[in-house]
Amino acid sequence: MNFQKLYIMKKLLLILAVAVSIQCLMVEKTTAQVLLGLPYEKIHTQNRRPMPYQYVREADVMWSKIIWRTIVLTERANQHLYFPTAPQDGRMSLIDVLLEGIHTQGLTAYKENGDDEFGSIVTEKEVHEALGAGVQTMDVETMEGGTESRIIEVPYNSSDIKSYMLKELWFFDKQRSVLEVRIIGICPIRIYYKEDDTDQERPQQKKTFWIYYPEARKILSNAECYNLKNDAGRLNYEDIFEKRFFSSYIFAESNVYDNRLINEYTVGEESLLEADRIKEQIFNFEQDLWEY
């Protein structure tokens, strides 16, 4: 009889412990929701997985062209890639998402080597140095009234990234009869002013590092991006790139002249017209395949 009572008491205690644990989890979740000002838990973006690319055979690619383009973040259509400059409401800017991926998720960064974008791997420290981190010698006052030189560490400033360079492959798949684009790489461009530069109207531009886009898709699909039209339907950065929700211009295409840049053979307004001509040429290629 005592054994039966002991068994029942243990069972009741176990049920009570489980009930208390569930209640604590519900309170914790509710607290997190209240802090975010939401009546629900946001898990949709965190559980997203990128859509696998369609398999393409080499024999089915009847035409292809490599394109390099620039995304300027100061344009209004691209500000959702620049803001927030500091993490806010679970959102980060694109550069902070990439840096977080390098730091915690093993995302590989490659050295900017001109035409060989993915030839050399760089360390996280070298990435920070490319963004402006380093050491600086400064003269500071001492307690005796004199001065002495000290070496201080200067952190990087992710808000200096004000544009991106994309490398894309445009191709026509005759098996599916579609003109498709695949992003190959992303390169953040740092725009800054030198401290000793008296001409503050001409900023410095530096290509920092390359990220292989197919490797970064998983990280980008789990990073929330601002939706201008609907706070409840937040996009992720993979949506932005795959659905082409950005404004850009072409500055180079693959060519026989060592992939020379457009501004190497055009000047001023002619460069913009040449970029539009290349874009129109890609569009017309697909249209000319059909007979109406």
Side-chain angles (χ1 to χ4, degrees):
M1 189 69 177
N2 292 333
F3 287 106
Q4 187 176 3
K5 288 183 179 180
L6 183 61
Y7 174 76
I8 295 174
M9 289 180 63
K10 287 184 176 180
K11 193 171 183 180
L12 290 175
L13 288 174
L14 179 61
I15 295 174
L16 181 60
V18 172
V20 171
S21 300
I22 294 175
Q23 184 67 23
C24 291
L25 291 174
M26 292 178 64
V27 170
E28 183 179 354
K29 181 190 294 185
T30 304
T31 304
Q33 293 170 0
V34 170
L35 291 176
L36 292 174
L38 298 173
Y40 54 88
E41 184 181 6
K42 300 181 69 173
I43 60 174
H44 178 67
T45 302
Q46 299 175 1
N47 296 330
R48 285 284 300 270
R49 296 293 183 270
M51 184 71 70
Y53 282 140
Q54 182 72 32
Y55 175 74
V56 179
R57 296 191 314 146
E58 181 182 6
D60 294 331
V61 178
M62 61 176 294
W63 175 88
S64 68
K65 175 73 70 173
I66 295 179
I67 296 293
W68 288 266
R69 65 175 67 243
T70 298
I71 301 175
V72 180
L73 301 187
T74 54
E75 294 185 14
R76 185 174 182 180
N78 298 325
Q79 289 183 351
H80 53 292
L81 301 175
Y82 181 77
F83 293 103
T85 54
Q88 183 182 73
D89 295 336
R91 293 188 299 111
M92 294 190 295
S93 63
L94 176 58
I95 182 61
D96 287 336
V97 170
L98 296 177
L99 292 176
E100 182 68 17
I102 293 172
H103 179 64
T104 63
Q105 302 185 47
L107 181 63
T108 306
Y110 297 88
K111 186 176 181 179
E112 205 292 312
N113 284 328
D115 293 335
D116 188 12
E117 292 91 351
F118 309 106
S120 303
I121 297 176
V122 296
T123 63
E124 185 177 1
K125 180 181 178 181
E126 291 174 322
V127 168
H128 293 172
E129 291 175 351
L131 294 173
V135 295
Q136 184 178 359
T137 303
M138 294 185 63
D139 293 331
V140 296
E141 294 185 1
T142 62
M143 297 181 63
E144 291 78 11
T147 59
E148 65 177 6
S149 297
R150 291 184 182 178
I151 298 177
I152 61 173
E153 293 187 1
V154 179
Y156 67 87
N157 186 7
S158 59
S159 60
D160 286 345
I161 302 299
K162 293 186 173 65
S163 63
Y164 288 90
M165 186 165 58
L166 296 185
K167 182 178 181 181
E168 302 174 335
L169 174 65
W170 288 79
F171 64 94
F172 187 84
D173 184 358
K174 66 181 182 180
Q175 179 67 27
R176 296 178 293 140
S177 298
V178 294
L179 179 67
E180 194 171 340
V181 57
R182 300 276 178 91
I183 299 177
I184 302 175
I186 304 176
C187 176
I189 299 178
R190 181 175 176 239
I191 300 177
Y192 63 101
Y193 296 94
K194 291 184 177 180
E195 293 184 359
D196 56 348
D197 192 356
T198 57
D199 186 4
Q200 294 295 307
E201 295 184 357
R202 300 185 63 181
Q204 305 291 321
Q205 294 191 17
K206 179 182 179 181
K207 301 174 185 176
T208 54
F209 56 91
W210 279 95
I211 294 294
Y212 185 55
Y213 177 77
E215 181 187 359
R217 289 184 68 205
K218 175 65 171 62
I219 296 173
L220 296 176
S221 65
N222 295 143
E224 202 173 66
C225 184
Y226 190 77
N227 187 344
L228 297 175
K229 297 182 179 180
N230 185 3
D231 284 346
R234 290 283 173 84
L235 301 171
N236 58 58
Y237 283 106
E238 204 233 356
D239 290 332
I240 299 298
F241 288 111
E242 295 296 330
K243 299 177 181 178
R244 314 294 290 183
F245 290 160
F246 59 85
S247 174
S248 63
Y249 65 89
I250 298 172
F251 69 88
E253 66 171 338
S254 55
N255 54 69
V256 69
Y257 307 106
D258 297 329
N259 296 337
R260 65 179 180 180
L261 306 180
I262 290 178
N263 59 14
E264 293 181 8
Y265 61 94
T266 59
V267 178
E269 186 178 354
E270 295 180 358
S271 298
L272 297 177
L273 295 176
E274 177 67 8
D276 288 339
R277 184 196 66 80
I278 295 174
K279 181 170 65 175
E280 188 75 12
Q281 183 182 22
I282 295 174
F283 175 79
N284 289 336
F285 172 82
E286 182 184 23
Q287 300 300 313
D288 293 342
L289 292 175
W290 310 106
E291 182 176 349
Y292 300 96

